[in-house]
Amino acid sequence: QTIWQSLASELDTENSSMSLLAPWLRRAVADKDATAYVLANHMVTNKNALASIARLTYPDAIPNEYGDDPWVTAANSWKGAVSDTDAIYLACYLLARALGTASRNTASLVELSFSKVYKEAASNRIEPDAWRLIDSRLPRPYSWQEWNRCQQLCYGIAQVYVRRGLPPSSFAKLGNSDADFAEIAGAAAKEWHGKSYLREVRQFLNENGGRKSSPRMRDIDRLLDSWLSW
């Protein structure tokens, strides 16, 4: 942690120069345990610095063997502005981490990143280096559907929630709109035990003020009544 003791405060200053600090940062992130400690203890909250750390590591690199995911802690306290390119990269990085196996806070990572990634995918604004972070972790589409990144994202997220049994309360919040939620729920219904999972989501909505006529409740009811999904 010796390098980090000096570097963290420099990175967290408003006018820090990432280009000047890059060689030191590259050496610092090589120590994955120390980097986890820095992220988990709010030692770097500058969003520009965190984007640089993301670009110098891979999504599963930072360990999370106990407690909250250091990246979740960092993302919940970051401050400052970044370029659109870096903002999209960070969202893809966090979503890729959610789709991997290193984190103990998968649902939190999805909540922090999925809406942003889905929105930018719909607008075709994700750069190749950012998309590569998540592409290999998503279900493979048929060749004629490779262009439809939003569909890939829906199926990937649905698989994660159903297969890992993530909280229905988190699933119920997914999507930038009710239409987006319908796409994700439709993908979930096609999973083995997907209908059982959607029943849990419906129960959560029902117990937390959801009206039977609400779009999300209607979509779940429609999927549960359909014989075309499991």
Side-chain angles (χ1 to χ4, degrees):
Q1 297 183 14
T2 306
I3 297 176
W4 274 119
Q5 288 173 355
S6 303
L7 185 61
S9 58
E10 288 294 327
L11 288 170
D12 230 24
T13 58
E14 188 174 343
N15 298 315
S16 60
S17 171
M18 291 300 124
S19 59
L20 291 176
L21 296 172
W24 295 101
L25 183 58
R26 197 172 290 109
R27 289 177 61 187
V29 297
D31 187 337
K32 304 300 188 296
D33 289 329
T35 305
Y37 181 87
V38 167
L39 295 176
N41 287 277
H42 309 281
M43 293 172 66
V44 175
T45 58
N46 183 320
K47 200 171 182 180
N48 256 324
L50 292 167
S52 296
I53 293 172
R55 288 187 180 277
L56 291 171
T57 59
Y58 59 94
D60 292 335
I62 306 305
N64 178 210
E65 295 175 2
Y66 57 89
D68 289 333
D69 189 322
W71 270 111
V72 170
T73 301
N76 280 322
S77 62
W78 62 29
K79 60 188 180 185
V82 293
S83 67
D84 286 346
T85 300
D86 277 347
I88 295 170
Y89 189 92
L90 271 171
C92 289
Y93 181 96
L94 295 179
L95 187 60
R97 186 168 173 85
L99 294 168
T101 58
S103 179
R104 292 163 51 90
N105 295 116
T106 301
S108 295
L109 286 168
V110 175
E111 290 173 23
L112 284 164
S113 61
F114 177 75
S115 292
K116 174 72 172 174
V117 175
Y118 190 90
K119 176 184 176 182
E120 302 302 343
S123 301
N124 197 29
R125 281 169 39 88
I126 301 179
E127 297 290 335
D129 60 339
W131 182 252
R132 276 194 295 270
L133 294 172
I134 53 178
D135 187 32
S136 63
R137 302 179 182 218
L138 294 172
R140 303 325 305 154
Y142 293 111
S143 58
W144 63 86
Q145 295 175 320
E146 288 180 353
W147 61 272
N148 195 338
R149 290 180 171 180
C150 288
Q151 187 178 67
Q152 272 187 276
L153 288 165
C154 286
Y155 275 84
I157 291 305
Q159 282 187 4
V160 167
Y161 272 81
V162 175
R163 296 182 186 185
R164 299 187 192 179
L166 298 183
S169 57
S170 177
F171 188 94
K173 295 185 287 187
L174 293 176
N176 293 303
S177 66
D178 292 331
D180 291 347
F181 176 83
E183 292 292 328
I184 304 164
K190 292 179 173 64
E191 283 289 301
W192 190 256
H193 300 306
K195 280 193 170 183
S196 295
Y197 184 80
L198 287 177
R199 288 189 187 95
E200 294 180 29
V201 177
R202 190 189 189 288
Q203 181 179 349
F204 168 80
L205 289 170
N206 187 53
E207 292 175 352
N208 287 272
R211 292 175 290 105
K212 192 169 184 179
S213 60
S214 70
R216 299 195 178 206
M217 291 277 271
R218 286 203 313 269
D219 282 321
I220 292 175
D221 285 340
R222 171 180 55 80
L223 290 164
L224 292 177
D225 289 340
S226 173
W227 62 271
L228 293 173
S229 52
W230 293 101

